[in-house]
Amino acid sequence: MSQVVTEQRSEVEIEPREAMDYDVVIVGGGPAGLAAAIRLKQINPEFSVVVVEKGSEIGAHILSGVVIDPIGLDRLLPGWREDGDCPLKLQVTEDRFYLLGPSGGVRLPNFLMPPLMNNHGNYVGSLANVCRYLGAKAEALGVEIYPGFAATEVLKDETGAVAGVATGDMGVNREGKPKDSFTRGMELRGKYTLFAEGARGSLSKQLIASHKLHEGREPQKYGIGLKEIWRVDPSKHQPGLVQHSFGWPLASDTGGGSFLYHIEDNQVVVGFVLHLNYKNPTLSPFDEFQRFKTHPMIRDIFAGGKRLAYGARAITEGGWQSVPKLAFPGGALIGCAAGFMNVPRIKGSHNAMLSGMEAAEAAAKALADGRAHDELSDYEAGWRSGPIGADLKKVRNVKPLWSKLGTFIGVSLGGVDMWLNTLLGLTLFGTLKHGKKDCDTLKPLSKVTPIVYPKPDGVITFDRLSSVFLSNTNHEEDQPCHLKLADPSIPIGKNLPEYGEPARLYCPAGVYEVVYANEALRTDPRFVINAQNCVHCKTCDIKDPAQNITWTTPEGGGGPNYPNM
Ligand SMILES: Cc1cc2nc3c(=O)[nH]c(=O)nc-3n(C[C@H](O)[C@H](O)[C@H](O)COP(=O)(O)OP(=O)(O)OC[C@H]3O[C@@H](n4cnc5c(N)ncnc54)[C@H](O)[C@@H]3O)c2cc1C
Ligand code: SF4
């Protein structure tokens, strides 16, 4: 193992970290990271593989729809359908698409939908539970899994190649000083390190910048996905029904749509994805989601039901043209950290697993050849011509058309383009550009009509705080704030007068507030960060117009505790 050069990150005077050596270190225990770990052990049980996961357990931070295209699972664990332990049992029975207006909507005939949008043969369930299943499989194969540990630092060797990660120190107080419970982080050194942190991963973001992995690519685009799980009246439950909509409550120049899946046990999953290139700073993704549930064609499903869970998470939307260079000396990006989400299908878990397997195969070959800390060029070279590339290439113009031409024309043209791509391998548009980053799309307050949202009724619609309560979010209170402001004066000095400080509205967990000494007169505004409410969605890191907020990992184990999201 080559020498590892480490930075002193913590503000306290501390002893050196202990180090453990592995063949492969994996950051993130989602579908990408766990598929990579399993594939490595399938190829060679002697490989030493470790997975670090910031959630308190595998699955605790996983939030997804989820309708799963089984292509990834079929390749990873071909016998999963017969495996009684696999939580994915329910196949999609019916697929419906709606275009909604304020008081009604039309169902789009299924024959109009491009075949790749068809959910026939897909499974509906909980991705968190699928990850728990994959975690158990990985452990049975000898993978070491450390939940409750956040990777906070990329380790480099003397050549600058990535050589593993360090986990964060635990037991540091608000001022950065050690408490009685102080425990030093660990160095997990690997010949290769795979970053599977999901959308807008904090270390992945640093690596993309430091290795210029985004050069020559379109900017990554994002959406915020919000989700609730309801137990509904059994008479309204149709197991396996999968329903999507677009249109109301969003204006035509705002991209997004809903999903509504009937899973097992009289449960219905309802969610809303809102594209983060929205322009109106008074828009609130959380309140648009709440409003959606009140639509006359939707609200009856929830009448007499009970909301069980809530959460939110960013998704990547840039697709084919935004995927960065994946491999760099000593490591690679996999899953949504690389941006392998298929936006019109609202599916990424299959590509997350496939990319994890492909990176694992490249790493296994390199290890067998006695290599270490170099670039996994096979992985880099393979994805565009493989199944992930085939999945993303056909839909590459949907998001740019939607952004440029609005919901009605953009989505229709996107549909035509998907049909042509599927049937003839042709496109009318080449490969369209995405244009601006999501942080650059807001208009000043003076140029928009403010959106006013109805008050929650506490029955179908709710406020942020009662929602966060259902995410079981918990952080150690006495720790440094993990939401870092590069310039603390910007929220009140710039964002408030120009945009009304949009963090108050785009944060789905009520973390950011502007409070006034005198609320009525709006004097002496102060920006407050309730970091303990953070559900780790990463939206603030993406959407802040000044790019002043950096999401960093809090103490390991903190954050939401999603049961079956
Ligand atoms: C609302 C919504 C609906 C969706 N619907 C669907 C759907 O129906 N079908 C579908 O296929 N896909 C869907 N997706 C997308 C799907 O969830 C993702 O594509 C998939 O989860 C990506 O897997 P991943 O392993 O790359 O990342 P993730 O699932 O995000 O997992 C990353 C893991 O890494 C951990 N982590 C991150 N950083 C660190 C760190 N520094 N240290 C330690 N651990 C870390 C996180 O806690 C997390 O457990 C949806 C997503 C959303 C948000
Ligand atoms: S603080 Fe940021 S990452 Fe946390 S919930 Fe709010 S927007 Fe999401």
Side-chain angles (χ1 to χ4, degrees), residues 41-120:
K41 283 292 202 180
Q42 286 171 335
I43 296 172
N44 185 344
E46 298 304 315
F47 287 151
S48 54
V49 182
V50 66
V51 176
V52 266
E53 167 53 52
K54 66 180 165 60
S56 59
E57 53 152 351
I58 291 290
H61 288 183
I62 299 294
L63 183 144
S64 193
V66 65
V67 173
I68 294 188
D69 174 343
I71 179 174
L73 269 176
D74 285 341
R75 288 195 182 193
L76 185 67
L77 299 167
W80 67 271
R81 284 181 176 78
E82 290 75 49
D83 185 344
D85 292 339
C86 182
L88 215 50
K89 305 273 184 234
L90 186 60
Q91 259 190 299
V92 174
T93 52
E94 195 184 341
D95 215 359
R96 295 183 192 163
F97 293 90
Y98 289 91
L99 173 59
L100 298 183
S103 54
V106 283
R107 182 169 170 192
L108 305 178
N110 283 31
F111 69 83
L112 280 184
M113 304 307 291
L116 59 88
M117 297 294 287
N118 186 348
N119 279 308
H120 187 78

Side-chain angles (χ1 to χ4, degrees), residues 324-362:
K325 185 171 183 293
L326 301 176
F328 40 84
L333 305 174
I334 60 178
C336 279
F340 286 138
M341 174 88 184
N342 183 316
V343 178
R345 297 182 73 201
I346 332 182
K347 288 186 187 61
S349 61
H350 61 304
N351 286 338
M353 288 184 220
L354 291 171
S355 64
M357 282 183 271
E358 288 177 17
E361 283 156 17

Side-chain angles (χ1 to χ4, degrees), residues 228-239:
E228 292 174 355
I229 305 180
W230 283 70
R231 171 154 293 121
V232 299
D233 180 337
S235 66
K236 297 174 185 169
H237 189 242
Q238 291 184 55

